[in-house]
Amino acid sequence: MATQLSFDLPSKTALGREDFFVSPANALAVAMISATSWPGNKLALSGPAGSGKSHLAHVWAAETGGRIVQATDLRYEEVPNLARTSVAIEDVPLIAGDPEQQKTLFHLHNLVLAEGNALLMTGRAAPKLWRLPLADLQSRVEGAHHVALEAPDDALLGAVLAKLFTDRQLSPGPDVIAYLVKHMDRSFEAAAKVVDELDRIALDEKRDITRALAVRLLNTELEQSDAHD
């Protein structure tokens, strides 16, 4: 049996279309990202952390020639240049406390659409829950066609775990992923945490990532959770 070696290497997230696993939990969102046009030329994409919003934004940008900007990085003076192409604005709810960035996004929203380009906006919750104090912006956000990435089913959770391991250049056996899917918390955030912890432990102990290690980690987390109840 080949021995898996763990190295403390930086992880590199794969963001191509071929790296995105399609399942019933995300099929509608994938279809909308792949559509040649959207109602009103704008789309709001929601989903929990780690669900693939940023990945799909990168797929969309690569296929349309669009650009991607974090909402918190928006600058008013850059709006005319950004509006020349389609644009994805990530994590829009994070600017709810910044009046100037809300005004900037409002201006960008109007100019992008006036130029005949498309606007993609992302956030964890549904747009009606983004609660942007600038009423005109909130109303336009709610007017976008909305599609949500749902909580992962077994197939998707397994694929997410496999991708997270691959991004870290790790190759655990299939029994590891099967065990995790069956016993871990069913969320994307939990998947990222589990992979990070397994990587750390394997590196510290200079050992392979095995089913036994996965069992130990989840049992430890369960014991800690019970201790806090």
Side-chain angles (χ1 to χ4, degrees), residues 101-144:
Q101 286 185 317
Q102 289 174 62
K103 292 177 183 177
T104 298
L105 179 53
F106 177 73
H107 184 45
L108 178 63
H109 168 284
N110 294 341
L111 192 56
V112 166
L113 300 184
E115 294 286 343
N117 296 315
L119 179 65
L120 173 64
M121 299 172 286
T122 74
R124 293 191 183 186
K128 65 181 180 180
L129 300 176
W130 291 1
R131 298 187 175 92
L132 301 166
L134 183 59
D136 286 341
L137 176 59
Q138 179 63 34
S139 67
R140 281 161 175 74
V141 163
E142 291 186 35

Side-chain angles (χ1 to χ4, degrees), residues 10 28 43 185 192 194 198:
L28 180 57
L43 179 71
D185 290 342
V194 163
L198 286 173

Side-chain angles (χ1 to χ4, degrees), residues 29-62:
V30 173
M32 285 304 301
I33 287 294
S34 304
T36 56
S37 63
W38 302 323
N41 228 17
K42 58 183 179 178
L43 179 71
L45 175 65
S46 69
S51 59
K53 298 185 300 296
S54 186
H55 192 153
L56 285 180
H58 278 81
V59 169
W60 174 77

Side-chain angles (χ1 to χ4, degrees), residues 185-205:
D185 290 342
R186 305 191 59 81
S187 74
F188 298 104
E189 282 187 305
K193 180 182 177 182
V194 163
V195 171
D196 182 66
E197 284 295 301
L198 286 173
D199 187 14
R200 181 187 61 78
I201 295 170
L203 183 64
D204 289 345
E205 299 181 2

